[in-house]
Amino acid sequence: MKTKNLFIISPHHYCHSTATIIEGLNKLDGIKVFSNADYNYCKHPIQTFKTQVQVAKMADYVMLCHSALELKYKEVIGPLVGELQGNIDIFLDGSDFAAYERNPSDYKLYIKRELNASQNHHSDNVESLIFAAEDRHFTRTNASHRNIWQSKTDALVCIMSACEKRPWRFDIMNSLKDAFAHDESVFVGEYRKGHSSPLVDTGGRHHSGYFQKLLNTKISVDSYGCAEARQTGRFWESLANGCMVLYQPIEPYIWRNSYIDGEDFVVYNDLDELVGKAKYYMSHSEEARKIASRGFTKLRRHHTTEARAKEFLFLLGKYL
């Protein structure tokens, strides 16, 4: 079978959506990824503008990432986007926001990270493609969930930052701090200890101590990101390290092979429910373990970067 070539117009920084696709495609036969940037696991970056244009125009597919359109790249990446305007087949909309970054009708395939079934105007070429667990998220790569769980010593963590773009996180973190102020098995706050990843430049998003903290803990509390985005790295990082995840509702956003409340993660709808469910599962460790195990199994089966890359190739076959 002839190898297909994909050229990705990528930002010059880490982008979770872009990294998910490229890392996964690197593991598959029959496709080779080129890019204008050596970020996000790209093994075949093209450095000069002239060669970038030549390779892109010879490629079977060209994909533009939304983050490559940031204003800071206007002079750096803008000319490449302009030169390839008639050659771009796919738009990867990895924005935090539910609204479309571009007009889907301008592309053969429009991939949307935050696809809200109740807000987004339906277009026949729009497909959901969510984050996945990258290889670096798995602190114990080949361990079974049972072995991971048996090594956990802490009860609960809520490791996240709050700001004016995510103000609800202040209340979530303060509620947990108040409820578990005297419990040394609970940690709430930011945690940036340890070394960075040798696999990819994440721009300061990877800290080995943070992943070790997740690995040591049974329950991980997470919440929406900016613009109430359902996709957070922490959701997948927590599952990859064997945690039972306490999270806000995913619906009405579209996820393939989505997580189910009470089966492979646990939903909280308000602060009282968060604290109540945290206390319940901290005192019912076996129930928490079973939910965490099912979440881990679903992650391994449906939400690795390789699985996501296979979804991506299916969409290429469907639309291109």
Side-chain angles (χ1 to χ4, degrees):
M1 182 178 69
K2 178 189 173 184
T3 297
K4 298 285 188 177
N5 295 318
L6 168 68
F7 188 90
I8 298 179
I9 306 173
S10 169
H12 291 181
H13 65 259
Y14 174 78
C15 168
H16 200 150
S17 292
T18 309
T20 290
I21 292 174
I22 296 180
E23 185 187 65
L25 290 176
N26 287 342
K27 301 175 184 179
L28 303 180
D29 295 328
I31 185 121
K32 189 173 183 178
V33 179
F34 298 89
S35 178
N36 60 301
D38 57 354
Y39 286 82
N40 302 304
Y41 303 106
C42 183
K43 294 182 177 180
H44 306 287
I46 308 298
Q47 301 299 333
T48 66
F49 176 80
K50 182 178 179 180
T51 308
Q52 289 169 2
V53 172
Q54 290 174 338
V55 172
K57 289 188 173 182
M58 290 190 296
D60 297 280
Y61 318 106
V62 177
M63 181 170 76
L64 171 60
C65 303
H66 93 282
S67 47
L69 298 175
E70 292 181 15
L71 186 60
K72 63 184 177 182
Y73 295 130
K74 183 177 180 180
E75 303 300 326
V76 181
I77 304 177
L80 178 62
V81 175
E83 186 69 26
L84 296 176
Q85 200 58 55
N87 300 88
I88 299 171
D89 307 293
I90 310 148
F91 189 79
L92 176 61
D93 187 344
S95 168
D96 293 330
F97 296 87
Y100 294 129
E101 291 289 311
R102 308 286 271 194
N103 184 349
S105 64
D106 291 340
Y107 306 92
K108 296 175 183 176
L109 170 61
Y110 194 100
I111 294 174
K112 183 71 178 146
R113 164 193 152 186
E114 299 291 332
L115 186 57
N116 186 334
S118 68
Q119 292 183 24
N120 291 108
H121 173 72
H122 178 72
S123 183
D124 290 340
N125 67 327
V126 176
E127 296 280 357
S128 169
L129 198 73
I130 58 177
F131 291 168
E134 298 169 33
D135 291 353
R136 64 185 179 86
H137 296 168
F138 295 91
T139 308
R140 294 182 62 185
T141 306
N142 297 313
S144 68
H145 185 267
R146 181 172 294 276
N147 287 339
I148 291 173
W149 190 265
Q150 288 174 346
S151 300
K152 291 180 179 292
T153 55
D154 294 331
L156 181 144
V157 293
C158 178
I159 307 177
M160 58 187 179
S161 59
C163 64
E164 67 279 0
K165 294 181 179 180
R166 299 169 294 226
W168 48 87
R169 289 186 174 183
F170 287 111
D171 291 337
I172 290 170
M173 296 170 75
N174 287 334
S175 295
L176 293 171
K177 286 178 180 178
D178 291 343
F180 302 106
H182 305 294
D183 191 334
E184 294 184 356
S185 70
V186 174
F187 177 86
V188 180
E190 295 188 52
Y191 201 87
R192 300 180 183 275
K193 298 180 181 180
H195 57 76
S196 59
S197 171
L199 300 175
V200 65
D201 180 359
T202 63
R205 289 181 174 86
H206 183 110
H207 305 276
S208 60
Y210 158 78
F211 286 97
Q212 190 63 45
K213 197 80 171 169
L214 290 176
L215 184 67
N216 291 343
T217 307
K218 294 178 180 178
I219 299 171
S220 176
V221 177
D222 193 15
S223 81
Y224 299 153
C226 297
E228 299 188 2
R230 271 37 174 190
Q231 290 300 306
T232 70
R234 189 168 299 102
F235 184 92
W236 305 106
E237 293 157 359
S238 298
L239 290 165
N241 284 284
C243 302
M244 189 201 88
V245 174
L246 260 169
Y247 195 53
Q248 294 168 287
I250 293 171
E251 295 81 7
Y253 285 71
I254 298 172
W255 294 20
R256 287 188 183 85
N257 299 301
S258 189
Y259 279 74
I260 300 170
D261 183 22
E263 181 175 316
D264 38 38
F265 85 139
V266 176
V267 168
Y268 65 91
N269 293 282
D270 54 45
L271 299 177
D272 289 339
E273 190 173 30
L274 167 61
V275 172
K277 288 186 174 181
K279 289 180 177 179
Y280 177 84
Y281 285 105
M282 286 169 64
S283 63
H284 293 77
S285 182
E286 181 59 15
E287 288 186 45
R289 182 195 67 78
K290 289 178 180 178
I291 293 171
S293 179
R294 290 191 288 266
F296 183 80
T297 299
K298 179 174 279 188
L299 178 79
R300 283 291 198 185
R301 186 172 298 156
H302 298 294
H303 299 295
T304 61
T305 55
E306 182 173 351
R308 200 67 76 244
K310 290 177 180 178
E311 288 181 42
F312 177 76
L313 291 182
F314 171 80
L315 295 176
L316 293 189
K318 180 178 178 181
Y319 291 96
L320 282 76

